[in-house]
Amino acid sequence: MALPPGLTDSDHDSTGTKLVCKLHKSIYGLCQSSRQWYKKLTAALIQEGFKQSKADYTLFTRGINDSFIALLVYVDDIVITGPNIHILHQLLTTLNQQFKLEALGQLKYFLGFEIARASTGLFLSQGQYTLQLLEDNGYIGCKPAKAPMDPRTASSPLANPSEYRQLIGKLLYLTLSRPDITFAVNNLSQLMSAPRTPHMQAVSHLLRHLKGSPGQGLLYPANSSMHLRGFSDSDWASCPVTRRTTTGFCIFFGDCLISWKTKKQPTISKSSAEAKYRALAATTSEITWLQYLLQDFQIPQHKPALSTVIISRQSTLQTIPPFTSAPNISS
């Protein structure tokens, strides 16, 4: 830091005014410091030959085949992966000349996710996060429940609704590795404005369900195919208040579940067919975005992505014409 031109210590002594400082660079904690850090890191990576993804601006890629490197940035945490360990070490050495880096070795824990590797594939879970959630709310010694939701209800307003809202926020993050509770959390998250006793009882039941399998997660087999498949469904006018439809979809990369969602549609559908097409449109948008990411990871899609929509409650499936490959994104 330095004083602005024209201002000296003698001016402070004679006038009694407070001195000000001019920053030569952003200091940690200021509102613009995060932007300056990201700008500097991006410039350094582009100078090293990386290409910034247009589908996800925190993803940088470089090289092809054995020299391919993928780098993912989350604030000041960086995940680097690639098939050649020597090239990864060279990149770390180069970046260490410009930044103070601490290499933590093989990725095992990141943003609350636990990553376990084996010869059969990769397992992703939030076991430690789940156990901490149960311990914080006094459910570590409870009896587990078999189902995520309990149909029994009672009725009275909650004295402290903030506790309910905090639990829903934590459960929403847990759905990133637990698709089995996504529907239950989606329903409970719609009640945060005025939660009542049955809603808190439903959250309690869900926490007891998590107690039965805190380490449950997602398994990604090593021998899975590399083809996108999507499944979508909707329940027409299911909300008794707004008559809006809930959309649900899940997308597989081979045998691996990589994306899923359940959410109310923004507009009211006048027929079940209209509701199905809106659900299919949401699935198409997600598949298109995933195709862009696969292009960045240099994973070719030799066959068009398929999407299947459930057209009846008896699980009758109808295959929609396949989507073509995503178009190139111009710079």
Side-chain angles (χ1 to χ4, degrees):
M1 295 185 293
L3 296 177
L7 184 64
T8 61
D9 293 337
S10 59
D11 296 333
H12 168 71
D13 297 336
S14 60
T15 61
T17 58
K18 294 183 178 180
L19 296 178
V20 295
C21 297
K22 179 182 178 181
L23 299 179
H24 292 308
K25 62 179 180 179
S26 297
I27 299 179
Y28 183 83
L30 297 182
C31 59
Q32 72 271 24
S33 59
S34 57
R35 180 180 181 275
Q36 292 298 112
W37 153 250
Y38 180 75
K39 182 179 179 181
K40 182 177 180 180
L41 179 61
T42 301
L45 292 175
I46 293 177
Q47 186 178 1
E48 291 297 323
F50 280 87
K51 180 182 178 182
Q52 190 173 21
S53 170
K54 299 299 182 182
D56 187 344
Y57 284 92
T58 63
L59 175 65
F60 298 83
T61 57
R62 187 186 73 180
I64 58 175
N65 299 330
D66 292 341
S67 62
F68 177 77
I69 298 178
L71 187 146
L72 185 67
V73 181
Y74 183 83
V75 191
D76 56 353
D77 295 326
I78 302 174
V79 177
I80 305 175
T81 184
N84 194 321
I85 189 65
H86 299 290
I87 296 180
L88 297 182
H89 286 312
Q90 292 176 1
L91 175 62
L92 289 175
T93 303
T94 303
L95 292 178
N96 202 31
Q97 297 175 357
Q98 303 184 53
F99 309 98
K100 294 182 179 180
L101 301 179
E102 182 181 359
L104 301 179
Q106 193 176 44
L107 183 64
K108 297 180 180 179
Y109 189 82
F110 185 68
L111 300 179
F113 290 87
E114 300 169 28
I115 300 96
R117 292 177 176 82
S119 57
T120 56
L122 183 145
F123 182 72
L124 182 71
S125 70
Q126 290 175 278
Q128 184 175 345
Y129 178 86
T130 305
L131 291 174
Q132 188 63 45
L133 174 62
L134 295 172
E135 183 178 357
D136 293 342
N137 294 277
Y139 285 85
I140 197 67
C142 69
K143 182 180 179 181
K146 295 183 179 180
M149 298 185 69
D150 187 355
R152 295 173 296 179
T153 60
S155 183
S156 62
L158 288 178
N160 183 18
S162 61
E163 180 183 359
Y164 177 87
R165 293 161 184 159
Q166 291 174 1
L167 284 171
I168 294 300
K170 295 178 181 179
L171 289 170
L172 283 171
Y173 188 70
L174 186 58
T175 58
L176 296 177
S177 65
R178 294 291 298 264
D180 58 317
I181 67 171
T182 302
F183 179 77
V185 176
N186 171 263
N187 280 270
L188 295 172
S189 64
Q190 301 174 33
L191 309 166
M192 289 195 292
S193 60
R196 302 178 70 85
T197 301
H199 309 149
M200 194 64 185
Q201 290 174 347
V203 173
S204 176
H205 183 89
L206 179 55
L207 291 174
R208 291 195 294 111
H209 172 71
L210 294 174
K211 172 65 185 333
S213 56
Q216 182 174 333
L218 297 170
L219 176 63
Y220 297 100
N223 56 354
S224 176
S225 64
M226 295 186 178
H227 180 57
L228 283 175
R229 294 180 299 132
F231 300 87
S232 65
D233 191 17
S234 61
D235 51 354
W236 181 41
S238 59
C239 180
V241 179
T242 63
R243 289 304 175 185
R244 288 163 61 184
T245 301
T246 300
T247 292
F249 67 76
C250 57
I251 299 175
F252 291 82
F253 185 52
D255 298 327
C256 308
L257 179 63
I258 60 174
S259 180
W260 59 93
K261 185 178 183 180
T262 174
K263 185 179 181 180
K264 280 186 179 180
Q265 294 181 1
T267 57
I268 299 176
S269 299
K270 298 181 178 63
S271 66
S272 59
E274 182 180 349
K276 298 290 184 182
Y277 274 107
R278 292 186 186 276
L280 187 60
T283 311
T284 304
S285 299
E286 186 72 9
I287 289 179
T288 302
W289 177 71
L290 289 172
Q291 286 180 327
Y292 288 142
L293 282 181
L294 292 178
Q295 287 180 2
D296 293 327
F297 285 115
Q298 300 181 8
I299 300 177
Q301 291 294 289
H302 301 293
K303 297 186 296 182
L306 292 175
S307 180
T308 303
V309 58
I310 303 176
I311 60 174
S312 71
R313 294 189 179 275
Q314 287 74 30
S315 298
T316 302
L317 301 181
Q318 178 178 350
T319 301
I320 303 299
F323 303 109
T324 57
S325 301
N328 295 328
I329 305 179
S330 61
S331 302

